[in-house]
Amino acid sequence: MTTGTVLGKPPALTPLLARGALLSPFKRPRPDAPFPRTRLVLPGLRVDLARLSAYERVCGFATGEDALPLTYPHVLGFPLAMRLMSGRDFPLPLLGLVHTSIGIRRHRALPATGTYELAVHVDRLAPHRRGTEAAVVTELRDAGTGRVVWESTSTYLARHRTTGEHSGAPAPGPQAPSPLPAVAEWRPGADLGRRYGAVSGDRNPIHLHPLTARLFGFPRAIAHGMWTVARCLAAHGSPEAAVVRAEFRAPVPLPATVVYAADASGRFELRSSDGRTHLTGSVTTAPA
């Protein structure tokens, strides 16, 4: 049963990151572990327009418009998600947690100057061939009408040894579709993780520096998954009522040279110059 907790202001991220880091070595992740059933609610939310503008510049969105980019409510909800995932009752270690997918539905355009209510909860845990995934749901409501105007489900993977049917190689699936036509080449620099972390608040060590990334098995710092999908959506564009689905297939080591590819159906992807796919996704008009 989910219980509601109303917050007076967004949680401060630095102490949450510190708490999550300190508790991580004591976590024993498994898909059948109990997890927090609290729904955190932040009413009366107003967007910091200076921070929004900085985010838009890092991700390639147009600046100066009275509109939230399609991915920005995820940033607004991140401190609430962090409060849940850094707690003692969250079974996955925060350090090294990898964002594996996101599904977004925006019901209408979102004015940057609007007032909103934000809510976040952990929906479920699930087995993954490389460990355990948690699904985190974020909802943004119009403060005046109470209607949901934006919602998302993100999955986060804690890597650990697995046994049984979920271990080893993935089951064979349908043949991968042909690569999408290349549209642009991007060269994210070694400092991208720090730049995106500054505007999003996500300062997971795997994104910040090669030395901290190596502690979690990555030879170099890797780009945030949400930067990759935001950058693709900034280039692709999206309807006011939109559905986005994206899977983070492989990390983007920094610095990198990546190819953005897309087609007229709304599919997009990000791949390296040698053809390795890092991100696949789609953006379509939401059904009425």
Side-chain angles (χ1 to χ4, degrees):
M1 180 178 180
T2 302
T3 60
T5 298
V6 178
L7 306 179
K9 60 181 180 179
L13 279 168
T14 299
L16 294 179
L17 288 166
R19 180 177 71 173
L22 290 171
L23 291 174
S24 287
F26 304 99
K27 300 295 181 75
R28 299 293 180 265
R30 65 180 198 275
D32 60 345
F35 59 89
R37 304 287 179 164
T38 303
R39 181 175 183 266
L40 297 180
V41 180
L42 180 64
L45 175 66
R46 301 294 300 271
V47 173
D48 181 331
L49 298 181
R51 184 182 175 194
L52 171 62
S53 181
Y55 172 88
E56 290 169 334
R57 288 193 296 271
V58 170
C59 297
F61 290 105
T63 60
E65 299 179 0
D66 185 17
L68 296 182
L70 184 52
T71 49
Y72 198 67
H74 174 85
V75 173
L76 299 176
F78 184 69
L80 280 69
M82 282 294 300
R83 175 163 163 172
L84 292 172
M85 293 192 291
S86 66
R88 291 183 180 275
D89 54 352
F90 185 71
L92 309 186
L94 188 65
L95 288 183
L97 205 61
V98 178
H99 197 179
T100 50
S101 74
I102 187 167
I104 297 172
R105 178 165 180 163
R106 181 173 66 186
H107 296 261
R108 62 168 176 79
L110 307 175
T113 53
T115 303
Y116 301 98
E117 178 184 280
L118 190 65
V120 178
H121 70 276
V122 179
D123 185 62
R124 63 189 180 275
L125 298 182
H128 185 280
R129 65 185 179 87
R130 292 181 178 173
T132 299
E133 273 188 337
V136 178
V137 173
T138 302
E139 294 179 336
L140 194 71
R141 295 177 182 269
D142 182 283
T145 66
R147 293 179 179 174
V148 174
V149 291
W150 185 100
E151 55 196 311
S152 75
T153 299
S154 283
T155 57
Y156 295 91
L157 172 66
R159 297 188 297 176
H160 60 84
R161 290 185 177 181
T162 60
T163 58
E165 62 179 331
H166 299 289
S167 63
Q175 186 175 1
S178 300
L180 298 174
V183 176
E185 183 179 271
W186 299 329
R187 297 178 181 269
D191 65 341
L192 175 64
R194 296 186 290 277
R195 292 172 56 223
Y196 184 84
V199 299
S200 69
D202 185 352
R203 292 183 172 89
N204 188 321
I206 63 177
H207 303 303
L208 303 182
H209 193 277
L211 292 177
T212 54
R214 287 184 195 127
L215 296 174
F216 304 97
F218 299 99
R220 291 185 284 173
I222 62 173
H224 293 74
M226 283 307 298
W227 177 84
T228 65
V229 70
R231 185 68 186 90
C232 288
L233 289 170
H236 194 285
S238 58
E240 289 190 357
V243 173
V244 173
R245 295 181 177 86
E247 292 188 5
F248 309 112
R249 307 292 293 274
V252 177
L254 298 172
T257 299
V258 291
V259 174
Y260 161 66
D263 66 14
S265 73
R267 294 168 57 217
F268 57 85
E269 64 187 21
L270 199 65
R271 57 181 186 257
S272 59
S273 54
D274 63 4
R276 186 184 191 193
T277 300
H278 299 286
L279 168 76
T280 60
S282 65
V283 55
T284 56
T285 300

